[in-house]
């Protein structure tokens, strides 16, 4: 069972997640990006050196030079020195800002490239996962996981490289200055303050993280429900459930709002506690240096010097709670995305699997057994041969396993027993891409991309030109309709193709399959949702495209398959009967019973219409 990607919570190791991400940050074969990383880190060091040694020492020198003199007085040399130091102080502050922004500029491409590559890897992997994964997952929840994971990359990189690392560097520089100039008592006091500050911040932030995990779960649930509800808006309208859906969404959003209020209120306690710790240290440090000034041990500039260094050190520390929370949440979000990437596909190509080669198009089901649930078999030993160019219809009651045969032929699932071959090649031993390239399908429920008609037809074969698309449309008898539209092939079909009628969507699906031009064709109840007139028109089109192809027709309406070369009746996952339409009627078995029942239903409908 794949991991529950809808959840964002859970403790995840920071360094293990970062090691997993490191190849994206330091990509092989990308010397330009690596140079940018090195350049950005060099600018970080320059910024901190200028800030600590340039700005702080310049300000100390200004105060020390001005202290013995009266305001407006002093020797000309002293005045010149003070003015130069003031200019140097301003220049140091300016260059600190310049270096910080240059650092961001140099690194931006690295962060965006890492985000892009990881997002592409995740998206590609999602499409490689098996059908069961997508059937058991809410699309809204999965997309939210990917969105959070990719967004967290940029913020994590920024804080780790340009907040945590520079703060550690600045702390080391400040402690070196304090130790050499003021003694170990100030070093010990500063370290004690930093340790207490970090411990308090982590304790409160861990408490707040639990609240944020609840927020994320509620947010994911609300978004997943909203997407699910909007995708099924027709069903909502059918049952007049607009208010019911709104109330359900309101409850989800209200729960999220309550959790958000708790989380934001907890931020006030964090800020107040951090301010208390830093200001106690600042006041104590300045007071001790001021006492030393009164005894002649330190200068007036030393008081300002200590104040400046501690204030500069506190500035990034004040953000530590936010940074820690962001990094921790980023680890959770990235971990959830890595869980998606780590989810193993249920159906995999065999090592060294060759491509399928279709010469004739013979399909064989040999003692095929399969069940979606290990405890319940759907197919119970199917033996079936479909000769090249033959049209074989699969009929039977609902739940007999008709559509399951199509999914197995596409290898959406692996068998629990037996095998399926095409021209003697076991489909489990060839590549899935080559297998699916050899099969075309016109499904019962045609879902189209929210794009143009031309795009949806051209989706059948990558690189198809406009002339080929138009030819496929003519083959599906839909070219006239398309050309009658004001925008022609550029007409947009809407979400899931809902701007088109059922018959029009089916013809687009037929055109798409014609463009693919596969040797093996599956028609999975392709006309069951259509009216009789449209069904008759599309059946003529389908009969035309079946010629020369090995065709499997899965049908509920028996009237649509009377001309099939062979009709196979499935019942309880086994072949009950097979033969031509006439042969099966003579048997007076399951098929004949189904035929008589459907004929009676059609006559009843016709009488009611009169």
């Amino acid at each position: 069972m794949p991991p529950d990607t809808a959840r964002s919570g859970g403790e995840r190791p920071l360094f293990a997640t970062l090691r997993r991400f490191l190849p994206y940050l330091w990509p092989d074969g990308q010397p330009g990006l690596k140079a940018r990383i090195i350049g950005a880190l060099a600018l970080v060091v320059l910024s901190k050196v200028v800030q600590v040694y340039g700005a702080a020492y310049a300000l100390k020198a200004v105060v020390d030079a001005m202290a013995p003199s009266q305001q407006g007085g002093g020797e000309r040399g002293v005045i010149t020195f003070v003015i130069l130091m003031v200019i140097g102080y301003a220049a140091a502050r300016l260059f600190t800002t310049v270096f910080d922004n240059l650092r961001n500029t140099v690194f931006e491409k690295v962060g965006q490239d890492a985000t892009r590559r990881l997002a592409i890897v995740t998206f590609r992997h999602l499409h490689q996962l098996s059908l069961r994964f997508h059937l058991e997952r809410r699309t809204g929840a999965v997309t939210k996981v990917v969105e959070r994971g990719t967004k967290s990359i940029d913020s994590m990189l920024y804080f780790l490289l340009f907040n945590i690392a520079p703060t550690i560097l600045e702390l080391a520089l400040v402690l070196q200055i304090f130790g050499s100039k003021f003694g170990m008592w100030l070093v010990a006091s500063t370290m004690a303050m930093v340790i207490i500050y970090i411990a308090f911040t982590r304790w409160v932030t861990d408490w707040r993280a639990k609240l944020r995990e609840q927020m994320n779960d509620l947010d994911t649930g609300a978004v997943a429900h909203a997407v699910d509800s909007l995708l099924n808006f027709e069903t909502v309208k059918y049952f007049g459930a607009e208010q019911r859906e709104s109330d359900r969404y309101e409850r989800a959003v209200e729960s999220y709002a309550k959790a958000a209020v708790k989380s934001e209120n907890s931020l006030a306690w964090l800020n107040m506690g951090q301010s208390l710790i830093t200001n106690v240290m600042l006041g104590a440090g300045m007071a001790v240096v001021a006492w030393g000034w009164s005894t002649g041990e330190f200068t007036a500039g030393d008081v300002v010097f200590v104040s400046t260094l501690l204030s500069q050190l506190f500035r990034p520390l004040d953000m530590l709670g936010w940074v820690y929370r962001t990094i921790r949440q980023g680890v959770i979000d990235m971990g959830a995305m890595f869980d998606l990437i780590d989810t193993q596909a249920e159906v995999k190509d065999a090592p060294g699997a060759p491509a399928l080669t279709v010469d004739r198009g013979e399909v064989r089901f040999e003692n095929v057994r399969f069940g979606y649930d290990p405890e319940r078999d759907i197919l119970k030993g199917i033996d079936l041969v479909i000769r090249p160019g033959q049209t074989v219809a699969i009929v039977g009651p609902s739940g007999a396993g008709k559509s399951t045969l199509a999914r197995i032929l596409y290898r959406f699932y692996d068998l629990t027993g037996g095998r399926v071959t095409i021209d003697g090649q076991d489909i489990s031993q060839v590549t899935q891409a080559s297998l699916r390239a050899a099969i075309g399908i016109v499904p019962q429920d045609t879902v189209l991309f929210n794009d143009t008609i031309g795009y949806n037809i051209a989706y059948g074969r990558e690189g198809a030109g406009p002339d080929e698309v138009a030819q496929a449309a003519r083959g599906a008898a839909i070219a006239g309709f398309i050309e009658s539209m004001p925008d022609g092939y550029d007409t947009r079909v809407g979400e899931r193709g809902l701007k088109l009628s059922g018959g029009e969507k089916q013809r687009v699906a037929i055109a798409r399959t014609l463009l693919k031009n596969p040797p093996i064709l599956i028609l999975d109840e392709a006309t069951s949702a259509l009216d009789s007139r449209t069904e008759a028109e599309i059946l003529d089109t389908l009969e035309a495209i079946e010629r020369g192809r090995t065709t499997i027709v899965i049908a509920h309406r028996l009237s649509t398959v009377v001309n099939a070369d062979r009709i196979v009746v499935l019942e309880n996952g086994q072949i009950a009967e097979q033969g031509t339409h006439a042969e099966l009627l003579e048997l007076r078995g399951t098929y004949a019973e189904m035929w008589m029942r459907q004929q009676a239903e059609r006559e009843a409908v016709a009488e009611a219409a009169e």
Side-chain angles (χ1 to χ4, degrees):
M1 181 69 68
D4 188 357
T5 55
R7 294 189 59 83
S8 60
E11 240 2 275
R12 294 181 184 272
L14 171 63
F15 293 107
T17 303
L18 292 180
R19 281 198 304 271
R20 179 74 181 274
F21 177 68
L22 191 60
Y24 296 94
L25 179 62
W26 191 261
D28 293 332
Q30 296 284 343
L33 293 179
K34 293 179 179 179
R36 283 178 174 270
I37 296 172
I38 295 171
L41 294 177
L43 287 168
V44 167
V45 175
L46 279 174
S47 174
K48 287 305 174 186
V49 169
V50 169
Q51 182 180 357
V52 172
Y53 289 102
Y57 271 106
L59 190 58
K60 166 181 161 53
V62 168
V63 175
D64 284 340
M66 292 177 66
S69 306
Q70 297 295 324
Q71 185 176 3
E75 298 178 1
R76 184 175 299 275
V78 174
I79 295 173
T80 302
F81 176 76
V82 169
I83 292 174
L84 290 175
M85 287 297 99
V86 169
I87 293 173
Y89 172 73
R93 288 175 58 88
L94 171 63
F95 278 108
T96 297
T97 303
V98 169
F99 289 148
D100 286 344
N101 283 274
L102 283 176
R103 169 205 71 195
N104 294 341
T105 302
V106 170
F107 190 78
E108 182 64 24
K109 185 176 181 180
V110 178
Q112 291 298 330
D113 184 79
T115 301
R116 174 188 63 82
R117 284 184 289 111
L118 184 54
I120 290 172
V121 167
T122 306
F123 183 77
R124 184 182 296 120
H125 182 72
L126 284 173
H127 273 294
Q128 291 173 344
L129 291 178
S130 305
L131 181 63
R132 194 190 304 271
F133 174 89
H134 294 282
L135 293 178
E136 294 178 351
R137 287 293 173 270
R138 285 188 171 187
T139 303
V142 172
T143 55
K144 196 70 177 179
V145 168
V146 176
E147 178 188 352
R148 284 189 186 136
T150 52
K151 284 184 177 179
S152 69
I153 295 170
D154 197 44
S155 58
M156 280 189 62
L157 288 177
Y158 181 85
F159 287 129
L160 286 171
L161 296 178
F162 305 143
N163 186 281
I164 300 295
T167 300
I168 293 173
L169 174 61
E170 184 174 359
L171 177 62
L173 296 176
V174 168
L175 292 179
Q176 183 272 323
I177 293 172
F178 283 175
S180 61
K181 189 167 181 62
F182 301 103
M184 293 306 296
W185 64 270
L186 189 54
V187 172
S189 300
T190 304
M191 280 300 300
M193 180 276 299
V194 170
I195 292 171
I196 294 171
Y197 186 98
I198 292 175
F200 171 77
T201 299
R202 178 172 181 178
W203 175 68
V204 177
T205 304
D206 285 344
W207 167 51
R208 297 191 70 235
K210 295 178 181 178
L211 298 178
R212 283 195 61 84
E213 289 172 13
Q214 295 176 6
M215 285 172 54
N216 278 343
D217 288 342
L218 292 170
D219 183 34
T220 297
V223 171
H225 169 66
V227 171
D228 194 32
S229 179
L230 292 174
L231 286 176
N232 293 280
F233 73 92
E234 283 183 289
T235 304
V236 175
K237 289 187 178 297
Y238 289 151
F239 293 93
E242 292 90 346
Q243 187 60 45
R244 190 193 318 168
E245 291 295 315
S246 296
D247 291 343
R248 186 179 172 191
Y249 183 67
E250 181 180 358
R251 288 194 297 270
V253 174
E254 185 178 353
S255 298
Y256 170 77
K258 289 179 180 178
V261 168
K262 290 181 181 179
S263 178
E264 293 304 315
N265 288 345
S266 66
L267 180 61
W269 294 105
L270 176 63
N271 291 337
M272 288 188 291
Q274 288 176 329
S275 181
L276 174 65
I277 295 170
T278 55
N279 282 287
V280 166
M281 178 59 200
L282 180 62
M286 291 181 65
V288 172
V289 176
W291 176 262
W293 165 79
S294 68
T295 62
E297 183 179 358
F298 303 125
T299 66
D302 288 333
V303 178
V304 177
F305 186 56
V306 170
S307 173
T308 301
L309 289 177
L310 288 177
S311 297
Q312 290 177 169
L313 181 61
F314 293 159
R315 195 173 301 120
L317 285 179
D318 283 342
M319 297 175 60
L320 185 60
W322 180 40
V323 170
Y324 174 68
R325 186 185 73 240
T326 302
I327 291 175
R328 175 172 174 170
Q329 187 60 43
V331 169
I332 293 171
D333 293 339
M334 285 179 62
M337 189 163 66
F338 283 135
D339 283 347
L340 279 179
I341 295 175
D342 291 339
T343 301
Q344 296 296 312
E346 181 182 352
V347 178
K348 298 180 180 179
D349 287 344
L356 175 69
T357 303
V358 181
D359 297 322
R360 299 179 300 131
E362 182 182 77
V363 178
R364 286 180 176 267
F365 294 83
E366 301 176 2
N367 194 28
V368 168
R369 293 182 174 275
F370 173 75
Y372 298 103
D373 187 328
E375 298 179 359
R376 178 174 172 264
D377 279 346
I378 301 297
L379 302 178
K380 305 170 183 177
I382 299 294
D383 284 299
L384 177 62
V385 179
I386 304 171
R387 303 297 179 189
Q390 198 176 49
T391 296
V392 172
I394 311 293
V395 301
S398 297
K402 302 187 298 296
S403 294
T404 300
L405 280 176
R407 290 179 170 180
I408 284 175
L409 186 57
Y410 259 101
R411 207 183 164 213
F412 288 155
Y413 301 94
D414 277 333
L415 303 177
T416 55
R419 69 172 190 161
V420 179
T421 66
I422 296 177
D423 285 345
Q425 302 159 84
D426 190 334
I427 64 171
S428 66
Q429 301 302 312
V430 299
T431 61
Q432 296 174 67
S434 64
L435 169 66
R436 292 165 190 164
I439 305 173
I441 187 168
V442 180
Q444 174 183 0
D445 182 18
T446 300
V447 179
L448 304 180
F449 291 98
N450 188 3
D451 210 298
T452 65
I453 293 179
Y455 174 85
N456 277 281
I457 295 176
Y459 202 80
R461 178 161 53 83
E462 187 177 5
D467 292 341
E468 295 172 297
V469 170
Q471 183 178 352
R474 286 192 292 272
I478 196 176
F481 164 75
I482 297 173
E483 291 164 3
S484 69
M485 303 290 287
D487 295 327
Y489 286 90
D490 292 329
T491 301
R492 300 193 71 87
V493 302
E495 188 79 33
R496 300 167 68 221
L498 293 178
K499 288 185 178 181
L500 303 181
S501 70
E504 290 159 357
K505 286 200 297 182
Q506 288 297 82
R507 291 190 184 279
V508 170
I510 293 169
R512 187 165 57 187
T513 302
L514 276 174
L515 188 63
K516 185 178 182 180
N517 194 27
I520 299 170
L521 180 65
I522 299 174
L523 305 177
D524 188 1
E525 301 201 34
T527 63
S528 62
L530 305 178
D531 60 84
S532 299
R533 180 177 177 181
T534 306
E535 179 186 52
E537 294 173 351
I538 288 185
L539 280 175
D540 292 338
T541 305
L542 291 175
E543 287 178 6
I545 70 171
E546 288 172 18
R547 296 190 189 104
R549 306 175 198 273
T550 302
T551 305
I552 300 174
V553 181
I554 297 169
H556 174 71
R557 296 181 187 175
L558 303 185
S559 58
T560 64
V561 298
V562 292
N563 295 323
D565 297 317
R566 186 153 43 102
I567 300 171
V568 176
V569 182
L570 284 188
E571 193 169 13
N572 295 323
Q574 295 177 316
I575 295 178
E577 302 168 352
Q578 58 179 312
T580 64
H581 173 70
E583 290 170 349
L584 291 176
L585 287 180
E586 290 179 5
L587 285 177
R588 298 183 180 278
T590 302
Y591 180 84
E593 181 183 344
M594 293 170 60
W595 175 262
M596 296 300 294
R597 187 186 308 119
Q598 291 188 11
Q599 288 296 103
E601 290 172 356
R602 292 181 65 179
E603 291 173 2
V605 171
E607 290 177 3
E610 294 176 358

